[in-house]
Amino acid sequence: MNPTTVAPAPRARRRAWPHPVLSLLLAASWVLLNRSVAPAHLLWALLLGWGVPHLLRPWLDAAGRVDWNAALRLTLVVLWDIVVANVTVARLTLGPLKRVRPAWVHVPLASDHARVNALLASIITMTPGTVSAVVDEAHRRLLVHALNTDDPAALVAEIKARYEAPLLRVFRVDPTGRDGTDDDSGSKP
């Protein structure tokens, strides 16, 4: 890099692209929905990817730092669990109903981080055999309906180990209250 060339400041980049992942997803969705990479479609994808996050800026939280390796590992775990859970639910529903033992389980939340808790509830909802019913922020717990469980405590431990702990790593959240969001000052300690 030429010493006279000045790299754009991270703060200016954040202002231009406040939510780069959202921008990328919107642009890719536009191209995929149109099934075309014609210049007009690419231009619209670029405009949507840039414009929508700017229009929604007052309602979106600041984009925090994400550990992408942890996010990829968690994605693979969730996809595997969805496949396994579908087979398990198929066996349960096709077998004798007296084997099914549904239960409501309270899962204590390790953090009050809104994204972590919302994604935890979403992951549980996507996994067949469990349905997240309520995120109780006041009591920091998640009420989960399990289709079949003999040991509710083991189910809670599994949810916390397989999904909540990796989500905390993805968003760099310390359960004591500190998270991985950057402040707007642009300075690092």
Side-chain angles (χ1 to χ4, degrees):
M1 184 169 168
N2 186 345
T4 59
T5 306
V6 177
R11 192 171 174 188
R13 200 173 319 132
R14 262 189 302 211
R15 200 174 294 131
W17 298 96
H19 293 277
V21 174
L22 176 60
S23 296
L24 181 65
L25 290 173
L26 286 168
S29 297
W30 180 263
V31 170
L32 290 172
L33 286 170
N34 284 293
R35 294 192 279 176
S36 169
V37 289
H41 291 293
L42 292 176
L43 179 62
W44 272 108
L46 180 65
L47 288 172
L48 285 171
W50 177 81
V52 170
H54 280 281
L55 291 172
L56 296 177
R57 182 180 262 172
W59 297 283
L60 295 175
D61 291 337
R65 293 184 334 213
V66 172
D67 181 344
W68 291 105
N69 289 329
L72 178 62
R73 284 191 302 271
L74 177 61
T75 300
L76 294 174
V77 166
V78 170
L79 290 174
W80 175 254
D81 286 354
I82 288 172
V83 171
V84 170
N86 273 304
V87 172
T88 303
V89 168
R91 284 185 187 160
L92 282 171
T93 56
L94 296 174
L97 290 179
K98 62 184 172 191
R99 288 185 1 205
V100 178
R101 291 188 176 86
W104 287 96
V105 180
H106 292 274
V107 179
L109 297 171
S111 168
D112 59 356
H113 192 276
R115 283 190 183 124
V116 169
N117 296 340
L119 282 171
L120 178 61
S122 296
I123 288 170
I124 292 169
T125 301
M126 287 186 292
T127 308
T130 56
V131 177
S132 174
V134 177
V135 177
D136 185 357
E137 291 178 354
H139 295 102
R140 284 180 67 170
R141 66 183 179 190
L142 187 64
L143 181 61
V144 176
H145 179 265
L147 178 64
N148 185 42
T149 184
D150 291 329
D151 187 1
L155 178 62
V156 169
E158 183 179 11
I159 288 171
K160 292 184 81 52
R162 289 188 72 79
Y163 307 129
E164 187 181 39
L167 276 169
L168 293 171
R169 283 192 296 277
V170 166
F171 289 102
R172 302 170 193 242
V173 175
D174 182 358
T176 61
R178 297 187 317 265
D179 63 25
T181 58
D182 291 330
D183 62 4
D184 226 12
S185 67
S187 63
K188 300 235 185 228

